[in-house]
Amino acid sequence: MPKKPARSPATDNQLSDHQPGSGHGAFKTAKGNGGELHQTATADDAASYLTDNFGHRISDNQNSLRAGERGPTLLEDFVLREKIFHFDHERIPERIVHARGSGAHGVFECTKAIPGLTKASIFQTEGATCPVFVRFSTVAGGAGSVDTPRDVRGFAVKLYTDSGNWDLVGNNIPVFFIQDAMKFPDLVHSVKMEADRGYPQAGSAHDTFWDFIGLMPEAMHMIMWAMSDRTIPRSLRMIEGFGVHTFRFVNAKGDGKFVKFHWKPVLGIQSTTWDEAVKIAGADPDFHRRDLFEAIDAGDFPAWDLGVQVFDEAFAAKQPYDVLDATKLIPEEDVPVEIVGRMTLNRNVDNFFAETEQVAFLPSNIIPGIDFSNDPLLQGRLFSYLDTQKSRLGTTNFHQIPINAPKCPFHNFQRDGMMQTQVPTGRANYEPNSLGEAGENSGPRASMATGFTSFRANDERNDPVQKLRIRAELFADHFSQARMFYLSQTENEQAHIASALVFELSKVTLGHVRVRVVGQLRNIDEDLAKRVAVGLAIDLPSKEKAARAPVDLKPSDALSIQKNADDTMEGRKVAILFGEGSDKAAIEALKSTIEKAGGTAFLVAPKVGGIKVKGGTLKADGQLAGSPSVLFDAVASVLTDEQAKTLSTQGAAVQWFMDAFGHCKTIAHDDATQILLDKAGVEKDGGVVALDGFGKVGTRRHWAREAKVRDLA
C-alpha cells in the first residue's frame, strides 16, 4: 500500500493535535514586589508553560497590567480579560458565587447632608430619600445550599437615586482574600467543590482552598475574619456591610477625597456558635432567609446606618499600609466612621425569581459625586460584573428587567439585542445627527455640565509612564492587620478563631498544607499558631518568611463583636416550652416581658394545636421535635411536674436544654423543669435563672460558660 504523504501542519486540524487542560512541569518560585508568590516554568517542554486559550505564553499570572505601579488597570490586558471572561461564563444560569441569596426592598434616607464632600444628589439635603433593593448572600455554596455555613456574606445594595442607579456591592467583612482581580478565578476555583469529586458544597474546610491560602499570605488577614464569628451570623439583620474598596467622593468644585463605606446594623452584630450553625443547617436550611422575611412581614423592619470614612492623599501616604489594597482596612480609631444616612428594609419581594434572582449588581454603577480608585481588585470587578450579566441573564438588555431598571429617566442610542422589550421610535440611533432640523426626534445628547466626569487629579502617588505587571511595595505587608484583628478580639473570640482554624485544617488531607498554613499563622501570633498546632497534633512548624516584616498596630475594639454587643432584647427570638397543664398566666407574663422589650416570643410544645393549660387553652407556634433550641436566642420553660417528668425521658427535650446551655444562652425555668435540667447537665450560673429573672439576663449570651461545655483550641 503506498505511503500517504505527510499532511501540512497548517491543514491538520485533528482533535488529537489539540492539547487542552493543565500542563505539568518543573517550576521555580519567587516573590514579587508585593510579596505575591510567582511559580515560573523552568522545563523545556511546551506543556510546562501557562498560556491563554490561543496558545500565547503568559508572563505573569499574579498581576493585572497597570498604568504605573499604583495606576488603573488597562483595558488592553487581554490576559486578565480572557481569564475573567471565561470565569464569568463558567456557570449558567446560576451565579458562580453568591448564588444563594435573599433580597428585600426598602428606602434610604440621608440623615446628614455632606455637599462639601460630594456632589452626589442623595447626600445634598438632609431628609432626601430614594428606594433601595438589597441582596444578602453566601459566597461559596450553590442556590440549593444552606443559609448557615461558615462563609462570607455578600451585602449588595442598589440605590435608585434621581441621578441613576448606585450599586454598592460589598460583603459583611471590610477586607478581601486577594489584592488583584487576576486571582479571583483561582480563589473561587479553590474554595468551590473540588473539581474531581464535586464536594464539599458551601464549605472551605478542604484541601484545595487551604492549599491556595497557604501559598497566598495576602489572604491571611481575611482568614482571621473568615475564621471569626463574623462568618456564622445569627441573622442577616445583624451583619455589617462594607464597600470593601477605597472609593472617591468628588464635590461640585471637582475636589476629591478617598472614602470607604460602612453599613452599621441598628440591631448590632450578633453571631451563632459553630456547633449551633451546624445544627441550624439541619433544623432549618432556610434559617436566615426565613428570619429576614418574617421580620419584615411582622413589621420589625431591619435597618442599617450608612457611615463613611473620609480621608485625603496626605493621610494615605503616611499609613504603613496601602489604601488601595483590598486586604487592608482603615481602623475606625484612626478615621472615625461618620454616619450620613439610614437604610430601612420594609417590603419583601413579590416574586423571588423576578426580583432576587434576576437583580444584577454592578460596581460600575456609580453616580456623579462618587468615583473609583485605582484599587486593582476594584478595577477588575468593573469589567467582570457587567460581562457576567450577559451569560446569566441572557441579554445585554438585562437593565430593562424591572428590578434592575433605574427609577429616573434614561435615554440613549442603544438599540435591539436579544429580548428587547422597549420600542424605540424614529430614526435617531446615532449622534451627532441633524434630524431635528427636519422636524424629527433627534434623541438625547451628552452634558459636560451635569454628566458624570471622572476625577481628574492624579495624586495617588503613581507614575503612569510605564505599563507594569507589578504591585506597590506596601501591598507586601500581609500580616500586620491580620495580627491587629486577632489581638483586637476578646479571649473567647480568639478561642473561636483558633478552634475554627483547627476544624478547617483537620479536614485538609494534605499534611504539607496544614504545616504551611500554621507556619503562616506564626507571622500573625505565636500563641495562635501554637494553639492550632496543638489542636492538629502536629509539631509547631518553622515560621514562613514574610515578604515584608509586619509592624505592630494598635488593637481596635471596633473589630470585636463581643466588645460591641448591645444589651438589648430587640431582634431576639425566645422560645417558651410548655405542655398540658402549664400555667397560662405565667406564660403570658413572660411573653409580655419579652415583647415589651422588643423581642419575639415563640411558643413550643410537644404537640401543636389547642393545648389545655391551667387557665384555658394555648396554641403552640411549633412542635418540640421540629423547633430545636438552636433556632432561638434564649429559652424558657413553664411545665408541670408530670409534664417535666415525661419530657425527661424524651431525647428531643433533653437535647433542647443541653444545646441551649452548650450554646451559652439564657435558660429561664420553673421548679418543675429542674429534672430536665439535671438530665441535660445544665449547671446553675448567671444565665440559668428563675422565670422572674429572665428580663435581666435574657438579652445576652453567657460566654464565661463556654469553657465548661466544650474544648476550645
Side-chain angles (χ1 to χ4, degrees), residues 223-504:
I223 285 297
M224 291 296 98
W225 287 81
M227 295 299 108
S228 78
D229 294 343
R230 299 268 182 158
T231 51
I232 45 175
R234 155 64 179 87
S235 166
L236 298 174
R237 299 177 290 137
M238 301 165 188
I239 63 174
E240 286 186 301
F242 301 91
V244 178
H245 305 287
T246 297
F247 292 87
R248 278 195 180 274
F249 271 157
V250 183
N251 65 19
K253 296 179 180 179
D255 299 327
K257 289 189 176 181
F258 291 119
V259 60
K260 282 185 172 285
F261 295 104
H262 299 244
W263 293 106
K264 300 281 190 181
V266 173
L267 290 175
I269 309 170
Q270 296 184 35
S271 295
T272 63
T273 65
W274 171 239
D275 180 69
E276 203 174 3
V278 172
K279 289 176 177 175
I280 290 173
D284 186 359
D286 305 304
F287 181 67
H288 285 156
R289 180 173 290 179
R290 188 187 314 278
D291 174 84
L292 179 67
F293 185 96
E294 290 182 348
I296 295 173
D297 198 48
D300 296 327
F301 301 142
W304 288 260
D305 289 325
L306 177 64
V308 294
Q309 286 179 300
V310 181
F311 54 98
D312 58 19
E313 174 63 23
F315 171 87
K318 294 177 183 177
Q319 303 314 305
Y321 51 87
D322 198 312
V323 300
L324 303 185
D325 180 355
T327 68
K328 306 297 191 294
L329 57 80
I330 297 177
E332 294 184 27
E333 289 80 0
D334 294 346
V335 180
V337 175
E338 181 181 5
I339 302 301
V340 296
R342 174 165 290 194
M343 174 176 70
T344 304
L345 300 184
N346 55 19
R347 180 166 65 87
N348 284 311
V349 298
D350 293 315
N351 184 282
F352 183 87
F353 176 80
E355 297 170 276
T356 306
E357 272 303 290
Q358 290 197 125
V359 66
F361 293 94
L362 305 173
S364 54
N365 272 355
I366 55 176
I367 57 177
I370 299 169
D371 204 350
F372 312 118
S373 73
N374 289 343
D375 175 346
L377 182 61
L378 172 60
Q379 292 278 318
R381 292 180 74 201
L382 301 180
F383 167 81
S384 178
Y385 279 64
L386 179 62
D387 176 64
T388 199
Q389 306 307 337
K390 171 65 174 67
S391 175
R392 202 173 63 79
L393 297 174
T395 172
T396 58
N397 291 317
F398 70 89
H399 61 279
Q400 296 178 16
I401 298 172
I403 193 65
N404 296 320
K407 299 186 185 299
C408 63
F410 64 100
H411 313 282
N412 54 53
F413 294 102
Q414 295 171 19
R415 295 292 185 269
D416 308 334
M418 184 183 296
M419 298 183 69
Q420 172 60 258
T421 61
Q422 296 179 329
V423 186
T425 58
R427 294 190 291 174
N429 60 358
Y430 63 94
E431 70 92 20
N433 72 66
S434 62
L435 297 176
E437 296 178 24
E440 298 184 35
N441 186 342
S442 64
R445 295 295 188 274
S447 169
M448 295 187 67
T450 60
F452 181 86
T453 55
S454 296
F455 183 65
R456 296 176 181 177
N458 183 23
D459 61 350
E460 295 188 13
R461 288 171 285 135
N462 177 61
D463 180 0
V465 173
Q466 292 180 296
K467 294 184 290 189
L468 305 168
R469 291 190 184 276
I470 193 171
R471 299 190 192 185
E473 185 179 350
L474 278 179
F475 277 49
D477 181 0
H478 302 140
F479 299 108
S480 296
Q481 289 208 352
R483 176 173 172 79
M484 176 184 70
F485 178 81
Y486 181 72
L487 295 179
S488 299
Q489 310 302 303
T490 65
E491 289 185 13
N492 179 258
E493 289 172 313
Q494 290 178 350
H496 288 180
I497 292 172
S499 298
L501 284 161
V502 170
F503 173 83
E504 297 259 329

Side-chain angles (χ1 to χ4, degrees), residues 548-564:
R548 184 181 177 92
V551 297
D552 284 328
L553 302 174
K554 185 179 179 181
S556 169
D557 286 346
L559 304 180
S560 165
I561 296 176
Q562 293 182 18
K563 290 178 183 178
N564 293 281

Side-chain angles (χ1 to χ4, degrees), residues 120-123 159 161 163-166 365-371 452:
S121 60
I122 191 63
F123 296 122
L159 297 96
T161 81
S163 302
N165 288 359
W166 172 29
N365 272 355
I366 55 176
I367 57 177
I370 299 169
D371 204 350
F452 181 86

Side-chain angles (χ1 to χ4, degrees), residues 10-260:
T11 60
D12 191 350
N13 266 342
Q14 297 182 65
L15 287 177
S16 60
D17 294 322
H18 178 54
Q19 300 179 27
S22 301
H24 187 73
F27 59 85
K28 63 180 180 180
T29 61
K31 293 290 180 68
N33 197 57
E36 73 277 12
L37 184 68
H38 291 259
Q39 296 180 334
T40 307
T42 59
D44 291 332
D45 60 298
S48 297
Y49 291 94
L50 182 68
T51 74
D52 66 9
N53 285 330
F54 298 96
H56 308 125
R57 291 185 183 181
I58 293 171
S59 63
D60 186 337
N61 191 40
Q62 308 303 316
N63 297 300
S64 50
L65 188 64
R66 300 183 181 87
E69 183 180 278
R70 303 180 73 252
T73 301
L74 298 176
L75 189 61
E76 72 180 65
D77 188 355
F78 64 90
V79 177
L80 171 69
R81 288 172 58 207
E82 180 192 88
K83 187 174 181 181
I84 292 187
F85 172 79
H86 190 280
F87 172 74
D88 287 342
H89 299 274
E90 285 179 4
R91 303 285 190 276
I92 52 172
E94 181 179 290
R95 287 173 170 87
I96 299 172
V97 287
H98 299 280
R100 182 171 181 82
S102 304
H105 296 271
V107 63
F108 174 79
E109 178 181 1
C110 175
T111 57
K112 181 179 181 180
I114 48 174
L117 292 175
T118 175
K119 61 182 178 182
S121 60
I122 191 63
F123 296 122
Q124 298 308 295
T125 307
E126 182 178 327
T129 64
C130 71
V132 300
F133 184 81
V134 180
R135 188 177 186 272
F136 306 99
S137 57
T138 56
V139 175
S145 57
V146 299
D147 276 353
T148 56
R150 179 179 294 281
D151 199 358
V152 183
R153 296 310 190 277
F155 195 121
V157 183
K158 187 181 291 290
L159 297 96
Y160 304 92
T161 81
D162 58 5
S163 302
N165 288 359
W166 172 29
D167 292 357
L168 189 52
V169 193
N171 292 324
N172 72 320
I173 291 175
V175 294
F176 202 62
F177 292 96
I178 54 175
Q179 297 172 325
D180 193 301
M182 177 70 81
K183 302 309 299 173
F184 194 70
D186 299 304
L187 167 68
V188 175
H189 286 168
S190 75
V191 76
K192 280 285 193 175
M193 298 179 291
E194 297 196 1
D196 61 343
R197 60 204 69 185
Y199 66 83
Q201 168 74 278
S204 57
H206 59 100
D207 289 350
T208 57
F209 176 73
W210 285 99
D211 180 38
F212 180 76
I213 293 301
L215 296 169
M216 295 287 290
E218 68 197 64
M220 295 309 292
H221 185 197
M222 180 68 166
I223 285 297
M224 291 296 98
W225 287 81
M227 295 299 108
S228 78
D229 294 343
R230 299 268 182 158
T231 51
I232 45 175
R234 155 64 179 87
S235 166
L236 298 174
R237 299 177 290 137
M238 301 165 188
I239 63 174
E240 286 186 301
F242 301 91
V244 178
H245 305 287
T246 297
F247 292 87
R248 278 195 180 274
F249 271 157
V250 183
N251 65 19
K253 296 179 180 179
D255 299 327
K257 289 189 176 181
F258 291 119
V259 60
K260 282 185 172 285

